[in-house]
Amino acid sequence: MDLSYDPALDAFRKEIRQFIADILPADMQARQRTKAANNAYVPDLLAWMRLLDQHGRAVPHWPVEHGGCDWTPQQLFVFNEELYAADAPEFDWGGTHMLGPVIYTFGSDFLKDKFLPMIREGATMWAQGFSEPGSGSDLASLRTAAELVGDKYIVNGQKIWTSGAAHADWGFFLVRTDKTVKPQRGISFLIIKMDTPGITVRQIPQINGEAHLCEVFLDNVEVPADQLIGESGMGWTYAKFLLEHERTTSSFIYWNKRELDRAKEIARSEMRGGRRIADDPAFRARFARAEADLLALEWSVLRVLAHEETDFPEAAAASVLKVRGSELQQEITMLQVDALGAKSLRYDEPTWDAPAASAEWPDYVAGRTTIALITRAATIYGGSKQVQKNILAKLAFGL
Ligand SMILES: Cc1cc2nc3c(=O)[nH]c(=O)nc-3n(C[C@H](O)[C@H](O)[C@H](O)COP(=O)(O)OP(=O)(O)OC[C@H]3O[C@@H](n4cnc5c(N)ncnc54)[C@H](O)[C@@H]3O)c2cc1C
């Protein structure tokens, strides 16, 4: 297998880099670069989606008939890599990468017509209502119930850790529609408008100063039955599709590459003991390790994208990428914080008003500590590290 980039891909990269430079507003880029918050700034994110959509590039990974681009996986890789390298706002992943593919694969024409354009055009933010108190790793035990009464579902229960729910217009929820069958068979996939009467959202204060995670209480919430995706009782299958669909996204490869560059910038600029951090042998060893790990991860992602034949099922590869990608996020953000030394003790309230840079407090200081703190969660969300290792043990080694 030849994984080297061909000249056509180089030309594509140049075109994408220029495209982003042409359309990315400078103020948006500056906010993203100096962000003291971990999560997307909603107005920028939606405005950026609209800008990309005007050029037909908001959801390039979707099928062409739904507004996607006819690109190879390698071209998609380059596109994402360039977006991150340029500090463009991130996507609303819930809509573009999770729900969208579920709707165009399993949803009715009504759902496709109503929601796919909304997601593509950045008209809405989405929340993912899967986890519940007591049902995280053991998701199939979820208890939030939906009862079909006439042409509506009546939903009662509680979700937790719902990212961004306080700012979301819509959510996609796993609900129990049948208690008489085995747990996985009784789950359905519902789209719910977040301002429906009976929904209460409570934000959870986080160690990094944000309150992005939420509890969502559903109390006799009436949901039109046509907002059910696919068949009743098939929600578990659709959720598994959703979680496995973006196999390579969970590697955080583009994010990790950008943040390692940022760590290097810090190490080249910060001095300790009379020399640059970059010249300190102990730091050099850590950087060499992170660089090698990142390169190995990138090649693993490319091998998955190239559908290289291996002895292992593809779902096992997804787990490897998740484990290594999330560990690297933690390794790289700790490198940033350690390279900043005492400066990392400056606490920036998570904010989108870019703190003014100065010689003493350069741009690269803002937000590093809040981001390093929340990155501790990377080995938990999207399937915890321990659970991913269980999957690996079973799928790859038959244990
Ligand atoms: C920052 C963040 C954002 C999140 N966003 C969302 C969201 O938007 N929507 C959503 O639905 N959920 C979200 N979650 C929830 C996330 O999916 C769950 O936290 C995750 O699935 C783990 O579930 P849990 O927290 O209930 O932990 P538990 O399942 O209770 O696990 C506790 C510990 O036990 C370990 N463990 C559990 N089972 C096993 C096992 N069989 N073998 C070995 N070890 C095991 C786990 O690895 C973990 O260390 C988010 C979580 C975080 C931290």
Side-chain angles (χ1 to χ4, degrees):
M1 182 182 48
D2 180 8
L3 285 174
S4 57
Y5 286 134
D6 63 29
L9 209 51
D10 282 340
F12 179 78
R13 182 184 293 279
K14 260 192 209 142
E15 191 261 310
I16 291 298
R17 194 170 291 176
Q18 190 58 49
F19 165 70
I20 297 170
D22 288 344
I23 70 162
L24 177 59
D27 59 329
M28 243 186 224
Q29 189 185 42
R31 270 192 292 279
Q32 195 72 18
R33 225 167 232 160
T34 56
K35 63 180 181 176
N38 174 61
N39 286 293
Y41 178 54
V42 174
D44 276 354
L45 184 151
L46 296 179
W48 179 236
M49 285 294 293
R50 282 193 290 278
L51 272 172
L52 286 175
D53 187 50
Q54 283 164 17
H55 296 84
R57 288 176 165 180
V59 284
H61 57 295
W62 288 12
V64 173
E65 73 257 37
H66 298 305
C69 301
D70 197 9
W71 289 346
T72 62
Q74 287 79 359
Q75 285 176 310
L76 277 171
F77 183 93
V78 167
F79 179 68
N80 284 313
E81 197 175 34
E82 291 297 323
L83 286 177
Y84 273 78
D87 282 306
E90 295 184 21
F91 292 106
D92 175 20
W93 289 96
T96 56
H97 285 68
M98 295 181 177
L99 180 63
V102 172
I103 292 182
Y104 63 65
T105 308
F106 304 107
S108 62
D109 286 342
F110 163 74
L111 294 179
K112 287 180 199 164
D113 292 345
K114 177 164 180 169
F115 291 110
L116 293 181
M118 274 164 63
I119 298 172
R120 200 180 55 228
E121 292 161 11
T124 48
M125 287 293 291
W126 288 88
Q128 179 196 9
F130 284 15
S131 307
E132 298 182 4
S135 302
S137 302
D138 181 19
L139 192 57
S141 68
L142 65 87
R143 285 176 301 175
T144 294
E147 191 190 345
L148 186 59
V149 180
D151 58 357
K152 290 188 182 106
Y153 282 98
I154 310 295
V155 184
N156 281 288
Q158 187 202 336
K159 297 291 174 179
I160 194 167
W161 313 124
T162 321
S163 300
H167 303 293
D169 311 291
W170 288 84
F172 48 99
F173 287 76
L174 288 184
V175 292
R176 185 159 302 289
T177 41
D178 189 346
K179 293 177 188 159
T180 62
V181 290
K182 81 170 197 172
Q184 285 85 345
R185 286 289 304 157
I187 294 174
S188 300
F189 203 122
L190 265 188
I191 295 181
I192 305 181
K193 199 161 192 296
M194 294 301 288
D195 62 4
T196 312
I199 295 186
T200 308
V201 176
R202 202 154 69 194
Q203 290 173 278
I204 304 172
Q206 298 161 208
I207 190 174
N208 72 336
E210 294 180 293
H212 182 65
L213 302 175
C214 299
E215 291 175 291
V216 179
F217 300 88
L218 302 111
D219 186 13
N220 286 321
V221 176
E222 294 187 7
V223 181
D226 57 9
Q227 283 171 210
L228 174 84
I229 296 196
E231 288 172 48
S232 179
M234 289 296 286
W236 187 254
T237 305
Y238 307 151
K240 276 205 318 195
F241 166 88
L242 174 157
L243 294 170
E244 285 169 13
H245 184 71
E246 265 298 305
R247 294 188 309 275
T248 55
T249 306
S250 59
S251 67
F252 291 95
I253 184 71
Y254 320 110
W255 191 94
N256 276 321
K257 286 182 96 168
R258 182 188 64 202
E259 294 305 316
L260 185 58
D261 282 346
R262 192 164 273 156
K264 288 182 195 162
E265 184 192 355
I266 296 172
R268 280 193 299 265
S269 313
E270 291 293 310
M271 304 287 291
R272 199 153 322 142
R275 64 181 170 201
R276 300 184 318 159
I277 298 281
D279 296 325
D280 178 306
F283 270 100
R284 289 180 75 83
R286 284 177 68 186
F287 272 102
R289 173 71 198 253
E291 189 85 64
D293 285 347
L294 188 57
L295 193 61
L297 181 67
E298 182 174 8
W299 276 72
S300 303
V301 169
L302 289 169
R303 287 168 68 184
V304 171
L305 289 178
H307 294 290
E308 188 197 37
E309 279 199 20
T310 71
D311 294 339
F312 309 115
E314 286 203 345
S319 292
V320 173
L321 297 183
K322 167 71 179 39
V323 170
R324 289 306 293 129
S326 53
E327 286 176 341
L328 253 178
Q329 281 193 287
Q330 297 177 345
E331 204 173 314
I332 290 170
T333 49
M334 280 320 291
L335 252 179
Q336 294 180 348
V337 165
D338 289 345
L340 281 171
K343 277 187 187 157
S344 69
L345 294 175
R346 165 173 152 163
Y347 176 73
D348 289 302
E349 187 70 29
T351 169
W352 285 91
D353 301 324
S358 65
E360 196 187 352
W361 298 107
D363 273 350
Y364 56 65
V365 183
R368 291 305 101 200
T369 305
T370 58
I371 290 170
L373 283 171
I374 194 62
T375 305
R376 301 301 92 197
T379 41
I380 302 173
Y381 57 73
S384 76
K385 182 161 134 181
Q386 292 76 11
V387 168
Q388 296 296 342
K389 286 188 173 179
N390 282 352
I391 295 172
L392 259 175
K394 193 167 156 198
L395 290 183
F397 306 113
L399 298 172

